[in-house]
Amino acid sequence: EGSSSAALECANAELAKARGQAEDLALVVRDLRSAREEGALAAAAQESLKWQAALEAARAEARAEAAAAHETVAGLQEQLARAKALAVEAERGPGAGLPGDEAP
């Protein structure tokens, strides 16, 4: 009986030790999963920042193109106004009394 009791105590001690190691291992696995998730989140955040930078660059390019188009439209409107003025002057003929014309 004495030896079986000692063997049972030894087995219980080994079982407790194994349980402690299993709990430690479970904590390590949980920490690894958490680190992997954090790494995935960090990678996603970095990817998001990359796309945000690309979007901002595209917006800046679009603003520049819109400004250039606005300048082009303004230039065309100015040319149209000059062309209309020339057409009016041509219809009136020379010396029709437009400002800047010399009297005949």
Side-chain angles (χ1 to χ4, degrees):
E1 243 183 82
S3 64
S4 64
S5 176
L8 184 59
E9 283 183 32
C10 185
N12 282 336
E14 289 296 321
L15 182 60
K17 183 178 173 185
R19 282 184 183 154
Q21 290 175 343
E23 289 172 1
D24 290 346
L25 185 57
L27 290 175
V28 168
V29 168
R30 187 190 71 198
D31 289 347
L32 287 174
R33 285 182 181 156
S34 178
R36 183 177 63 200
E37 289 170 3
E38 288 175 9
L41 288 175
Q46 189 174 13
E47 188 71 13
S48 175
L49 289 175
K50 183 177 88 173
W51 283 106
Q52 285 176 351
L55 178 60
E56 187 55 39
R59 285 180 179 160
E61 185 178 342
R63 283 191 294 268
E65 288 178 7
H70 182 72
E71 288 179 21
T72 299
V73 167
L76 290 173
Q77 288 173 336
E78 186 178 308
Q79 288 178 2
L80 178 61
R82 282 195 302 248
K84 285 180 180 179
L86 289 173
V88 168
E89 185 179 332
E91 286 178 6
R92 290 183 180 175
L98 288 174
D101 285 347
E102 294 183 14

